[in-house]
Amino acid sequence: MKKNLLNELKNECLGCKKCPLGETRINIVFSDGNPETAKAILIGEAPGENEDKTGTPFVGRAGKLLNEFLEKAGISRAQDLYIINTVKCRPPKNRVPTDEEKTACEDYLLKQIEIISPKVLIFCGATALKSFYDKKIQISKIRGEILELEIGGEKRKCIPIFHPSYLLRYHSLDEGSPRDLMLKDLKKIKKLMDA
Ligand code: URA
């Protein structure tokens, strides 16, 4: 059922030229994960080079690191999550998507959330957080907090977490380090998903 609705939406998206990214992309990067069993949606920023080539989100270096963290937290990428981005096409040179690009893609994002209607939304990085929350807030100040926000017609539990690209720069696992906090946040998310 969800799959049919998502396929319709994906077909709409495939020919999309609502913003300039439609001219430079190789592939639309629509989603990954199992829409029927997902308990949470993880929202990243935008596809990078590997994602653009393959059509799948989070398959490059950042994606591999994300996979490692998910595994450590006991979250199955394939069954527990539906993974998407704020924009479906790669911005040239991996720059941050513009407000115009995010606005053009917003309907697809909101419809994906409405169709999956998950218990939990994970804002993975500042771009996803700022698409739904105060633009001035810093991810480091709010990560790990459970926010109750009305999105796609319903109140949902939303948790901001660090983006894995940020973690690629910090290797320490010490208490309070970015990697330590990421694992703690994902374990908290796992509990929320299973509650
Ligand atoms: N970074 C993102 O935010 N999303 C991807 O799909 C890949 C890298």
Side-chain angles (χ1 to χ4, degrees), residues 14 29 34-35 37 50-51 53 62 83 98 102 106 118 122 126 147 160 179 185 194:
L14 285 178
V29 179
N34 185 335
T37 58
N50 292 294
E51 290 77 19
K53 279 187 188 149
I83 301 184
T98 63
K102 285 195 284 181
E106 195 180 331
I122 307 165
L147 314 168
R179 288 191 182 219
D185 292 347
D194 292 345

Side-chain angles (χ1 to χ4, degrees), residues 29 44-48 51 56-60 62-63 83-85 124 163 165:
V29 179
E45 180 177 285
E51 290 77 19
T56 305
F58 285 105
V59 291
I83 301 184
I84 56 181
N85 282 305
C124 184
H163 193 284
S165 313

Side-chain angles (χ1 to χ4, degrees), residues 99-117:
D99 286 345
E100 181 204 355
E101 290 155 3
K102 285 195 284 181
T103 303
C105 226
E106 195 180 331
D107 265 3
Y108 300 124
L109 178 61
L110 290 176
K111 281 190 190 144
Q112 285 176 308
I113 295 171
E114 275 174 43
I115 295 169
I116 303 281
S117 199

Side-chain angles (χ1 to χ4, degrees), residues 2 33 67 79 82-83 100 104 108 111 144 159 170 187 194:
K2 285 182 187 174
N67 292 348
Q79 296 302 319
Y82 185 72
I83 301 184
E100 181 204 355
Y108 300 124
K111 281 190 190 144
I159 308 197
Y170 299 94
K187 285 183 176 167
D194 292 345

Side-chain angles (χ1 to χ4, degrees), residues 56-110:
T56 305
F58 285 105
V59 291
R61 272 178 79 217
K64 290 198 170 85
L65 186 59
L66 177 66
N67 292 348
E68 281 175 32
F69 274 91
L70 291 173
E71 209 179 321
K72 280 189 200 151
I75 298 173
S76 160
R77 171 170 171 149
Q79 296 302 319
D80 297 337
L81 293 183
Y82 185 72
I83 301 184
I84 56 181
N85 282 305
T86 57
V87 298
K88 310 289 180 248
C89 301
R90 180 189 182 201
K93 297 186 183 154
N94 298 347
R95 61 160 171 73
V96 176
T98 63
D99 286 345
E100 181 204 355
E101 290 155 3
K102 285 195 284 181
T103 303
C105 226
E106 195 180 331
D107 265 3
Y108 300 124
L109 178 61
L110 290 176

